[in-house]
């Protein structure tokens, strides 16, 4: 990795997971790129605490950039008010050093997974459903990806999205902060804590469990990392 190119973290989704992640990333010194198509809504205010009442109706990416400018002056931020899709994902992800998956729908999670695998970009998966949150870091070519666990995204009607099932602030906060901590470890060249390890936080019982996830032979991530890609242990 060249020192002349500033390292950047792409945060996809600046809601329940992405907002707490930003509070941690703000201190990390990396350039941040934010992707989200949604405006700030009243229901976001209690758990996405970087947003204020005056931000209602404003794009989340713009409100998040204002919060960063006020609370972490000097942090370089680029905003993209759009939904990550197959047309824009490659360019956005290829420009990043590390990606934080903070979206709430399975289709976009698998898109992030697949493009990160294709471009050799490490990312932190994160998901919250009700009182349970999960996160795992994926290092392409080295550790298990989402498709090692689930070959395909669940059908739309089978998957209760966070929007429908409701997500609880403290659980999302814990997961988002954990994802951001992994991003900062990667940027600093420190060992990752959750590469190939799924952390599950059961907010109802206050328990945290970490499970090792093995790579699935034949998965699309089952390839050698491209020359020049930085991999664990190298
Ligand atoms: Zn895989």
């Amino acid at each position: 990795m060249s020192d002349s190119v500033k390292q950047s973290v792409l945060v996809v989704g600046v809601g329940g997971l992405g907002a707490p992640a930003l509070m941690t990333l703000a201190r990390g010194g990396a350039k941040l790129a934010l992707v989200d198509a949604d405006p700030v809504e009243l229901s976001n205010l209690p758990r996405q605490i970087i947003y204020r009442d005056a931000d209602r109706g404003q794009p989340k990416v713009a409100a998040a950039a204002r919060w960063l400018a006020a609370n972490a002056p000097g942090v370089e931020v680029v905003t993209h008010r759009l939904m990550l899709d197959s047309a824009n994902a490659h360019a956005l992800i290829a420009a990043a050093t590390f990606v934080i998956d903070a979206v709430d729908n399975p289709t976009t999670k698998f898109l992030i997974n697949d493009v990160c695998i294709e471009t050799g970009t490490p990312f932190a998966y994160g998901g919250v459903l009700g009182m349970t949150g999960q996160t795992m870091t994926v290092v392409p070519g080295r550790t298990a990806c989402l498709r090692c666990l689930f070959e395909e995204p669940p059908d739309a009607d089978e998957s209760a999205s966070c929007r429908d099932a409701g997500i609880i602030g403290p659980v999302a906060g814990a997961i988002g902060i954990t994802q951001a901590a992994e991003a900062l470890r990667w940027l600093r060249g420190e060992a990752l804590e959750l590469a190939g390890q799924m952390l599950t936080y059961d907010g109802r019982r206050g328990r945290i469990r970490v499970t090792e996830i093995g790579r699935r032979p034949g998965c699309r991530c089952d390839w050698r990392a491209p020359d020049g890609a930085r991999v664990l242990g190298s």
Side-chain angles (χ1 to χ4, degrees):
M1 194 175 309
S2 164
D3 289 338
S4 61
V5 178
K6 188 151 190 186
Q7 303 190 93
S8 71
V9 179
L10 176 69
V11 182
V12 188
V14 285
L17 294 169
L22 283 186
M23 297 173 80
T24 300
L25 291 171
R27 301 192 301 268
K31 178 178 167 182
L32 304 177
L34 315 179
V35 175
D36 201 307
D38 293 338
V40 177
E41 294 172 26
L42 179 62
S43 62
N44 302 146
L45 299 180
R47 62 173 197 272
Q48 298 171 23
I49 58 176
I50 65 172
Y51 302 127
R52 314 207 160 278
D53 195 51
D55 294 326
R56 279 166 62 188
Q58 299 289 313
K60 278 186 181 173
V61 289
R66 276 198 297 277
W67 183 88
L68 285 164
N71 292 277
V75 171
E76 201 179 327
V77 187
V78 181
T79 61
H80 304 277
R81 189 184 184 189
L82 46 81
M83 194 175 159
L84 195 82
D85 63 24
S86 54
N88 59 35
H90 194 281
L92 288 165
I93 289 174
T97 312
F98 193 96
V99 176
I100 291 187
D101 156 23
V103 296
D104 65 2
N105 81 81
T107 307
T108 311
K109 288 186 180 303
F110 277 77
L111 175 66
I112 292 169
N113 182 82
D114 295 348
V115 179
C116 282
I117 296 297
E118 199 184 312
T119 57
T121 312
F123 75 100
Y125 154 81
V128 178
L129 202 58
M131 291 287 279
T132 302
Q134 287 195 314
T135 177
M136 176 174 83
T137 305
V138 175
V139 183
R142 296 298 297 246
T143 68
C145 80
L146 282 194
R147 286 191 193 271
C148 291
L149 273 171
F150 315 102
E151 290 192 41
E152 296 295 332
D155 289 339
D157 52 351
E158 273 178 34
S159 67
S161 82
C162 300
R163 217 174 280 272
D164 301 326
I167 72 171
I168 307 300
V171 175
I175 297 295
I177 287 166
T178 303
Q179 291 178 277
E182 284 285 90
L184 295 181
R185 285 184 194 105
W186 181 262
L187 299 185
R188 292 170 185 149
E190 297 170 6
L192 296 167
E193 295 289 336
L194 295 174
Q197 310 277 328
M198 181 71 81
L199 180 150
T200 302
Y201 175 31
D202 176 348
R204 186 159 291 142
R205 297 193 302 161
R207 298 240 172 106
I208 292 172
R209 189 176 71 238
V210 177
T211 310
E212 186 161 350
I213 307 295
R215 297 183 67 191
R216 180 172 58 81
C219 180
R220 70 170 67 194
C221 72
D222 195 3
W223 52 270
R224 198 175 66 87
D227 289 339
R230 189 159 68 100
V231 292
L232 279 184
S234 68

